[in-house]
Amino acid sequence: MLTPPQRNILPQVVDPRRLVNQGVILTGEINPDLCIRLAEAVVGISEPIMANLIFDTNEQGRKMVRGSASTTVLMTCQRCLEPVERPLAVEMALGIVWSEEQAKSLPREMDPWIVVDEVGDIAALVEDELLLVLPFVMYHPEGQCNTATSHSTDDELGGVAEENPFSILEQLKNSSSDN
Ligand SMILES: [Zn+2]
């Protein structure tokens, strides 16, 4: 088993079957410039897109990629229309297959990753997985919207706070007795 090189930015494309044979684990960042669909689906991508991809075989000898990916995106709050942060995290377990036809033979719990030839686009793979967990609509937590209507109640308070002449007399009496 080879020790994979530690990289910060992962390559866009790999030969996943070769990586399986080598038992490679890729850990690092996906270049956000390669994730146009995700970028266009949100207001912005505010944290690095981190991925941990383990290339190996399962008990049945099936070539797989397992792992996780995460980032944080900014979405539009549908209540106040201001940006709201949404962390995204996804676990994946995909069978590496050559075709749609072969994908159908995968166990039900396993998603296919169709890789024709030796070119597997891991940026697109991670982006696809993150798009799957992207919510349709997003809101700030209750009461935390930026246009929360907290109009000042100064007028009311002013009315209540008006000095009662009797309380002033009370204060005078108290202060004189203190002396
Ligand atoms: Zn809001």
Short mmCIF file of all heavy atoms in Angstrom, two decimals, residues 77 79-82 139-140 144-146, ligand 1:
data_model
loop_
_atom_site.label_atom_id
_atom_site.label_comp_id
_atom_site.label_asym_id
_atom_site.label_seq_id
_atom_site.Cartn_x
_atom_site.Cartn_y
_atom_site.Cartn_z
N CYS A 77 -31.68 33.93 2.79
CA CYS A 77 -32.77 33.65 3.73
C CYS A 77 -34.07 34.05 3.06
O CYS A 77 -34.22 35.18 2.60
CB CYS A 77 -32.56 34.43 5.02
SG CYS A 77 -34.00 34.37 6.12
N ARG A 79 -36.82 34.59 4.37
CA ARG A 79 -37.67 35.46 5.18
C ARG A 79 -37.21 36.91 5.05
O ARG A 79 -38.02 37.80 4.83
CB ARG A 79 -37.62 35.01 6.65
CG ARG A 79 -38.89 35.33 7.43
CD ARG A 79 -38.78 34.90 8.89
NE ARG A 79 -38.77 33.46 9.07
CZ ARG A 79 -37.77 32.78 9.65
NH1 ARG A 79 -36.71 33.42 10.10
NH2 ARG A 79 -37.83 31.48 9.79
N CYS A 80 -35.88 37.15 5.13
CA CYS A 80 -35.41 38.55 5.11
C CYS A 80 -34.56 38.85 3.87
O CYS A 80 -34.14 39.98 3.67
CB CYS A 80 -34.61 38.84 6.37
SG CYS A 80 -33.03 37.98 6.47
N LEU A 81 -34.29 37.83 3.04
CA LEU A 81 -33.53 37.98 1.80
C LEU A 81 -32.08 38.40 2.02
O LEU A 81 -31.41 38.87 1.10
CB LEU A 81 -34.24 38.95 0.83
CG LEU A 81 -35.66 38.55 0.47
CD1 LEU A 81 -36.27 39.56 -0.51
CD2 LEU A 81 -35.73 37.15 -0.13
N GLU A 82 -31.57 38.25 3.24
CA GLU A 82 -30.16 38.48 3.53
C GLU A 82 -29.44 37.13 3.50
O GLU A 82 -30.06 36.08 3.64
CB GLU A 82 -30.02 39.13 4.92
CG GLU A 82 -30.58 40.54 5.01
CD GLU A 82 -29.75 41.54 4.21
OE1 GLU A 82 -28.53 41.38 4.18
OE2 GLU A 82 -30.35 42.45 3.62
N TYR A 139 -33.51 29.52 5.87
CA TYR A 139 -33.93 30.66 6.70
C TYR A 139 -32.92 30.86 7.82
O TYR A 139 -32.25 29.91 8.23
CB TYR A 139 -35.28 30.37 7.37
CG TYR A 139 -36.42 30.12 6.43
CD1 TYR A 139 -36.81 28.83 6.12
CD2 TYR A 139 -37.10 31.19 5.85
CE1 TYR A 139 -37.85 28.58 5.26
CE2 TYR A 139 -38.16 30.94 4.98
CZ TYR A 139 -38.53 29.65 4.69
OH TYR A 139 -39.56 29.41 3.83
N HIS A 140 -32.81 32.10 8.29
CA HIS A 140 -32.09 32.32 9.55
C HIS A 140 -32.85 31.57 10.65
O HIS A 140 -34.05 31.36 10.53
CB HIS A 140 -32.06 33.81 9.90
CG HIS A 140 -31.10 34.61 9.07
ND1 HIS A 140 -31.53 35.50 8.10
CD2 HIS A 140 -29.76 34.67 9.06
CE1 HIS A 140 -30.46 36.06 7.54
NE2 HIS A 140 -29.38 35.58 8.09
N GLN A 144 -33.71 35.57 14.23
CA GLN A 144 -32.37 36.10 13.94
C GLN A 144 -32.27 36.73 12.55
O GLN A 144 -31.19 36.95 12.03
CB GLN A 144 -31.33 35.00 14.09
CG GLN A 144 -31.14 34.58 15.53
CD GLN A 144 -30.09 33.49 15.68
OE1 GLN A 144 -29.17 33.39 14.87
NE2 GLN A 144 -30.24 32.67 16.70
N CYS A 145 -33.40 37.02 11.95
CA CYS A 145 -33.38 37.68 10.66
C CYS A 145 -32.92 39.12 10.81
O CYS A 145 -33.13 39.75 11.85
CB CYS A 145 -34.76 37.64 10.01
SG CYS A 145 -35.08 36.09 9.20
N ASN A 146 -32.28 39.61 9.75
CA ASN A 146 -31.69 40.95 9.83
C ASN A 146 -32.73 42.06 9.81
O ASN A 146 -32.47 43.16 10.24
CB ASN A 146 -30.70 41.14 8.68
CG ASN A 146 -29.49 40.24 8.86
OD1 ASN A 146 -29.12 39.91 9.98
ND2 ASN A 146 -28.90 39.83 7.76
ZN ZN B 1 -33.41 35.96 7.59
#
